[in-house]
Amino acid sequence: MNSKPGTQNPKLKTNRMASITFITGGARSGKSSFAQRLAEQQSDNPVYLATARIWDEDFAQRVKRHQDDRDDRWQTVEEEKELSKHDFTGQTVLMDCVTLWLTNFFHDNDYKIDGALEAAKAEWERFAKQDMNLIVVSNELGMGVHPENELARKFADLQGWMNQFIAQQADTVFLMVSGIEVKIKG
């Protein structure tokens, strides 16, 4: 990929209706907890949009821990890829997370960056046209250890480009560092 896909097409912002808060950071930086607090402050009945595929038992336990963090105010919608098929008009939606959602596209496109990025961006554009308050959690993979294998390096690139694409459209962007939110846009 020769260009940075996240920095292209500034007209996209005019096509969306969602109010977007983008929260990024490293593993265990407090992204999900902060996002959940924001959603609970903004709505009495927020929607948790879970994008995970359960790959193994360890991952199932991680999902369970996230589920246990939410009380009965929350409505949970599980969707691995097709976010736009759900109507979230007028709701506060916490999408957790872009990394897991993007993994599904990467896997289903035989680990090809271009196909995965194109499909994810197209789905994102359809999804973000809804009139909703959207809080999005993602991982900032590029700040960690340089991946040792080609597949991991490809995914880190894919994640970085998708993060740029979403952050460009976001009204507000936070970077989480050691449990502390740092507002970097908006």
Side-chain angles (χ1 to χ4, degrees):
M1 185 116 329
N2 295 331
S3 62
K4 294 180 176 130
T7 60
Q8 296 174 352
N9 199 354
K11 295 179 185 177
L12 287 175
K13 191 163 184 160
T14 62
N15 292 333
R16 72 162 173 86
M17 293 177 64
S19 170
I20 301 171
T21 300
F22 184 67
I23 302 167
T24 188
R28 301 290 168 256
S29 62
K31 300 178 303 289
S32 294
S33 298
F34 175 62
Q36 186 173 320
R37 286 192 308 274
L38 277 180
E40 289 171 346
Q41 291 167 5
Q42 297 171 13
S43 175
D44 291 332
N45 299 104
V47 176
Y48 188 90
L49 179 55
T51 60
R53 262 185 207 165
I54 307 302
W55 299 95
D56 55 34
E57 184 56 34
D58 173 65
F59 198 77
Q61 292 304 314
R62 290 170 179 260
V63 168
K64 172 104 173 72
R65 187 174 61 243
H66 274 280
Q67 291 169 336
D68 291 344
D69 287 342
R70 297 187 305 276
D71 59 31
D72 58 3
R73 291 177 287 181
W74 287 85
Q75 172 192 350
T76 300
V77 174
E78 295 179 357
E79 181 56 56
E80 294 180 4
K81 288 173 54 179
E82 297 178 39
L83 309 177
S84 64
K85 76 178 187 181
H86 302 277
D87 183 3
F88 296 115
T89 303
Q91 296 180 297
T92 294
V93 178
L94 167 52
M95 178 189 172
D96 199 354
C97 75
V98 172
T99 306
L100 298 174
W101 177 69
L102 201 54
T103 297
N104 301 332
F105 283 97
F106 193 49
H107 176 268
D108 294 352
N109 280 277
D110 297 320
Y111 308 103
K112 293 181 175 84
I113 295 175
D114 292 338
L117 184 61
E118 181 180 320
K121 287 170 76 172
E123 178 57 24
W124 178 264
E125 288 179 10
R126 288 187 294 272
F127 175 57
K129 286 182 181 177
Q130 295 185 49
D131 185 10
M132 64 181 150
N133 181 29
L134 179 59
I135 301 166
V136 183
V137 173
S138 191
N139 287 285
E140 200 60 46
L141 299 181
M143 296 176 78
V145 176
H146 187 73
E148 67 179 51
N149 67 64
E150 181 183 3
L151 191 62
R153 285 188 298 273
K154 284 181 177 181
F155 187 77
D157 289 347
L158 177 63
Q159 178 75 62
W161 287 323
M162 195 68 196
N163 281 355
Q164 289 179 52
F165 181 74
I166 295 171
Q168 180 183 46
Q169 297 176 43
D171 301 286
T172 308
V173 177
F174 289 97
L175 174 65
M176 295 299 297
V177 181
S178 301
I180 299 169
E181 67 271 9
V182 180
K183 191 175 191 178
I184 58 176
K185 179 181 177 184

